[in-house]
């Protein structure tokens, strides 16, 4: 008796169809799995056996062979439990259909026959719809996520028993109805409002420019200056996620298993702040079956590296390629996975190891050698990828107490939205979303300052010894400053403001 059921798995953020073939034949009782299952898949034998028995059904005392096709791709995870169990029960006649091709089946079984949530449902739902399959049978916790995809019947099953019924009587199976109004496109509340930050006009402006043009930002200052505080308020001034961006983010978080149970579409921009002890793989992604790292989880959002020089140098260097390409490719012998990773990088650091270099409140005791070594932990190429460097001086407590509250996030966000609208209009025919995303010759073509602006830029480039990349970065930042000022021309003032964010070099 042979049963063939349809399931799916993800590689990177792409899903592919997997056919689960279960053969139950007479012979010495055994349970074999073929088709490159890894250990997590092979463990499913024990779960399936217990789940079937504990659901009050008979586990067929025969020779069982399970094949997961295509056989040349390594399979991982527990989502094949349910199709394997149903295939077995089709072999013994409890499930009435032996070939199920109109329904893709996913789910992890628990020993009592219940069905647990799995990862990567959104990309699977998208691929299932594209393959022309009508229905998805899955754990109820994943139903909301799958229902984002239109034109797909989502059939949740809480237990093995319910899944059997759904296959035996497909027309009577209850379908999931997406509740209206689950999408809200409100901005991330973030941590607090920019109004809490008193003074600090220059770094506040840097934050606004970073949000408007998608520029990477480095905040440098003594302890307690408010660097961490300001960086955490960046998501609050970013524009809301578009539907397309939300889909991209949700797919990544779905594969990583970081979608909170049952949540559907991700509606707030991600803000990721990994600790400085993070490993290479955790930051950029990897593993035998590639999983997204922090930079991909921050896709379309913010990656915040607090105390940047404390990160291992090798960890920082792996950021270089993704920062340039907006994605990361993880090569494996059989095939490579590509994870999107377009994010705004915000980094914070002290000016020296003790932290008080240039601070009026306290003397710095670091030697020039120590300072140089400390700053050298950020390599030139990495620094070159940061558009804005802003100094965050310490504000004396007495001044802090008397200063009026700063401008609110909502008001800053208004200007950011206008600037983004101008960019969308300018780049409508290009695969570019923000000024920071401009590459190669497009930068020179689309960011051309006025004659006076160009003159200033040339003088400054000479004095500051800007690299070619650094020069382009000033152009892009000047473009954003002009967009914030609702100006189509890049005037000399805009260039001057852009230049002051490279002064610390
Ligand atoms: N400009 C400011 N306006 C209001 N509060 C401030 C300001 N600067 C600092 N603070 C207060 O000081 C606290 C410490 O700031 P924060 O942790 O952001 O400093 P930091 O620059 O990250 O320091 P470190 O280098 O030690 O990490 C904040 O939580 C906030 O309460
Ligand atoms: Mg800090």
């Amino acid at each position: 008796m042979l049963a063939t059921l349809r399931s799916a798995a993800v590689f990177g953020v792409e899903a592919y169809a997997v056919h689960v073939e279960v053969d139950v034949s007479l012979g010495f009782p055994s349970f074999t799995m073929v088709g490159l299952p890894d250990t997590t898949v092979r463990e499913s034998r024990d779960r399936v056996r217990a789940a079937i028995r504990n659901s009050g059904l008979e586990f067929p005392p025969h020779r069982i062979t399970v094949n997961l096709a295509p056989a040349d791709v390594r399979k991982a995870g527990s989502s094949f439990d349910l199709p394997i169990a149903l295939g077995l029960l089709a072999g013994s006649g409890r499930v009435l259909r032996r070939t199920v091709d109109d329904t893709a089946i996913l789910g992890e079984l628990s020993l009592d026959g219940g069905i647990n949530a799995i990862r990567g449902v959104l990309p699977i739902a998208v691929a299932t719809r594209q393959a022309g399959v009508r229905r998805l049978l899955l754990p109820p916790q994943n139903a909301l996520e799958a229902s984002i995809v239109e034109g797909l019947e989502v059939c949740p099953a809480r237990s093995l028993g319910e899944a059997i019924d759904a296959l035996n009587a497909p027309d009577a199976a209850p379908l999931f109805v997406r509740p209206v109004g689950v999408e809200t496109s409100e901005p991330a509340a973030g941590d607090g409002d920019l109004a809490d930050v008193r003074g600090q006009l220059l770094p506040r402006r840097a934050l606004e420019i970073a949000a408007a043009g998608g520029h990477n930002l480095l905040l440098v200052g003594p302890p307690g200056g408010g660097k961490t505080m300001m960086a955490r308020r960046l998501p609050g001034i970013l524009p809301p996620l578009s539907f397309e961006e939300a889909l991209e983010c949700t797919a990544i978080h779905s594969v990583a298993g970081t979608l909170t149970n049952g949540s559907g579409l991700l509606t707030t921009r991600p803000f990721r702040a990994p600790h400085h002890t993070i490993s290479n793989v955790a930051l950029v992604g990897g593993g035998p079956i590639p999983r997204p790292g922090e930079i991909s989880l921050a896709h379309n959002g913010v990656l915040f590296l607090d105390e940047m020089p404390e990160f291992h140098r090798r960890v920082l260097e792996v950021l270089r390629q993704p920062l340039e390409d907006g994605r990361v490719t993880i090569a494996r012998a059989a095939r490579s996975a590509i994870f999107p990773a377009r994010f705004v990088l915000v980094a914070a650091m002290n000016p020296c190891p003790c932290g008080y270099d240039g601070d009026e409140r306290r003397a710095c005791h670091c030697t020039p050698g120590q300072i140089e070594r400390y700053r050298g932990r950020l390599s030139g190429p990495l620094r070159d990828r940061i558009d804005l460097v802003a100094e965050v001086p310490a504000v004396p407590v007495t001044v802090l107490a008397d200063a009026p509250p700063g401008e609110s996030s909502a008001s800053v966000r208004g200007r950011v939205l206008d600037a983004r609208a101008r960019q969308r209009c300018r780049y409508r025919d290009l695969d570019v979303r923000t000024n920071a995303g401009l590459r190669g010759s497009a930068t020179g073509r689309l960011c051309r300052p006025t004659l006076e602006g160009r003159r200033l830029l040339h003088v400054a480039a000479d004095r500051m010894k800007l690299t070619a990349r650094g020069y382009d970065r000033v152009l892009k930042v000047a473009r954003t400053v002009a967009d914030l000022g609702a100006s189509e021309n890049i005037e000399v003032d805009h260039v001057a403001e852009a230049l002051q964010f490279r002064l610390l070099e």
Side-chain angles (χ1 to χ4, degrees):
M1 289 287 213
L2 177 71
T4 310
L5 286 83
R6 185 182 257 277
S7 187
V10 282
F11 187 84
V13 280
E14 313 257 302
Y16 58 94
V18 173
H19 290 275
V20 178
E21 299 169 346
V22 184
D23 180 68
V24 179
S25 53
L26 290 179
F28 193 73
S30 65
F31 196 154
T32 322
M33 271 207 193
V34 294
L36 277 189
D38 79 351
T39 1
T40 52
V41 179
R42 265 181 273 140
E43 283 172 353
S44 107
R45 282 184 300 201
D46 300 318
R47 285 191 299 269
V48 166
R49 187 178 285 124
I52 289 182
R53 291 211 175 114
N54 290 331
S55 301
L57 302 164
E58 195 205 11
F59 187 83
H62 301 301
R63 224 176 102 108
I64 297 163
T65 313
V66 173
N67 179 34
L68 304 174
D72 61 341
V73 191
R74 186 160 284 287
K75 321 286 186 314
S78 50
S79 62
F80 302 117
D81 288 4
L82 185 59
I84 290 172
L86 291 171
L88 270 174
L89 295 167
S92 62
R94 183 65 186 74
V95 168
L96 305 177
R97 298 157 69 193
R98 288 235 200 84
T99 314
V100 182
D101 213 30
D102 58 351
T103 305
I105 305 167
L106 306 163
E108 174 187 313
L109 285 173
S110 66
L111 301 187
D112 64 356
I115 299 179
N116 294 333
I118 56 158
R119 295 176 178 195
V121 165
L122 179 64
I124 290 178
V126 171
T128 305
R129 230 276 319 261
Q130 277 167 0
V133 177
R134 194 163 53 96
R135 181 177 285 194
L136 198 54
L137 181 64
L138 44 52
Q141 300 92 319
N142 295 118
L144 188 59
E145 186 187 336
S147 69
I148 294 167
V149 179
E150 279 178 26
L152 188 70
E153 293 176 359
V154 176
C155 181
R158 268 171 302 179
S159 63
L160 186 56
E162 285 189 14
I164 296 171
D165 294 342
L167 279 194
N168 284 346
D171 294 333
L175 296 182
F176 180 80
V177 183
R178 188 171 177 77
V180 282
V182 277
E183 275 98 29
T184 50
S185 57
E186 262 318 286
D191 291 63
D193 197 284
L194 265 183
D196 308 338
V197 180
R198 293 164 196 262
Q200 305 291 23
L201 293 184
L202 192 76
R204 283 181 65 115
R205 176 73 176 162
L207 217 53
E208 177 176 338
I209 297 174
H215 300 287
N216 299 327
L217 167 68
L218 172 64
L219 299 171
V220 185
K227 301 182 295 295
T228 306
M229 182 186 185
M230 273 186 266
R232 292 200 170 272
R233 282 159 176 74
L234 179 59
I237 59 171
L238 285 170
L241 279 180
S242 68
F243 183 69
E244 192 189 330
E245 288 175 321
L247 272 184
E248 291 171 4
C249 292
T250 310
I252 297 169
H253 284 257
S254 169
V255 171
T258 47
L259 275 185
T260 39
N261 247 359
S263 78
L265 202 60
L266 210 80
T267 51
T268 50
R269 283 193 189 272
F271 180 88
R272 308 292 300 186
H275 190 253
H276 58 74
T277 50
I278 191 172
S279 71
N280 269 353
V281 169
L283 187 66
V284 297
I289 304 279
R291 287 223 188 285
E294 286 291 330
I295 60 169
S296 296
L297 294 173
H299 180 59
N300 286 330
V302 178
L303 179 72
F304 177 39
L305 302 183
D306 206 355
E307 320 293 349
M308 198 179 194
E310 301 299 332
F311 283 74
H312 286 291
R313 175 131 184 189
R314 253 185 312 148
V315 172
L316 290 181
E317 292 307 300
V318 294
L319 277 177
R320 279 163 56 175
Q321 204 55 41
L323 275 175
E324 205 76 349
D325 300 344
R327 59 190 185 157
V328 53
T329 308
I330 295 167
R332 288 287 169 270
R335 61 206 272 204
S336 320
I338 296 177
F339 291 108
R342 200 183 306 126
F343 52 87
V344 175
L345 171 70
V346 181
M349 66 182 279
N350 297 127
C352 66
C354 83
Y356 292 99
D357 183 30
D359 192 348
E360 293 155 11
R361 300 170 303 173
R362 217 185 282 192
C364 164
H365 298 294
C366 305
T367 63
Q370 279 175 322
I371 296 181
E372 196 173 319
R373 225 171 309 129
Y374 182 74
R375 297 192 185 169
R377 291 196 206 162
L378 303 193
S379 69
L382 187 62
R383 219 166 241 260
D384 224 17
R385 285 164 172 78
I386 294 177
D387 299 359
L388 300 160
V389 182
E391 198 173 358
V392 186
V395 183
V397 202
T398 43
V399 179
L400 263 189
D402 295 338
E407 191 183 3
S408 74
S409 290
S411 145
V412 177
R413 188 164 176 259
R415 288 196 296 276
V416 169
L417 288 180
D418 288 346
R420 287 268 180 141
R422 292 180 151 268
Q423 295 168 60
R424 247 200 325 281
C425 177
R426 185 177 317 123
Y427 304 135
R428 59 187 173 269
D429 300 327
L430 299 173
D431 181 28
V432 174
R433 292 186 193 175
T434 55
N435 292 331
L438 283 172
R439 293 284 174 269
S441 63
T443 315
R445 193 158 39 81
L446 292 162
C447 309
R448 201 174 147 76
T450 56
L451 184 63
E452 217 184 325
R454 287 205 297 278
R455 266 198 208 127
L456 172 66
L457 187 53
H458 287 157
V459 173
D462 250 9
R463 289 236 183 102
M464 297 163 76
K465 302 198 173 43
L466 289 181
T467 60
R469 202 192 271 123
Y471 183 87
D472 274 2
R473 297 212 159 230
V474 176
L475 282 180
K476 290 187 232 178
V477 173
R479 179 67 268 171
T480 304
V481 174
D483 284 335
L484 277 169
S487 158
E488 230 5 83
N489 290 331
I490 304 179
E491 307 286 349
V492 65
D493 297 354
H494 303 142
V495 176
E497 186 170 357
L499 281 169
Q500 79 176 324
F501 291 111
R502 296 202 75 90
L503 284 187
L504 282 180
E505 280 165 35

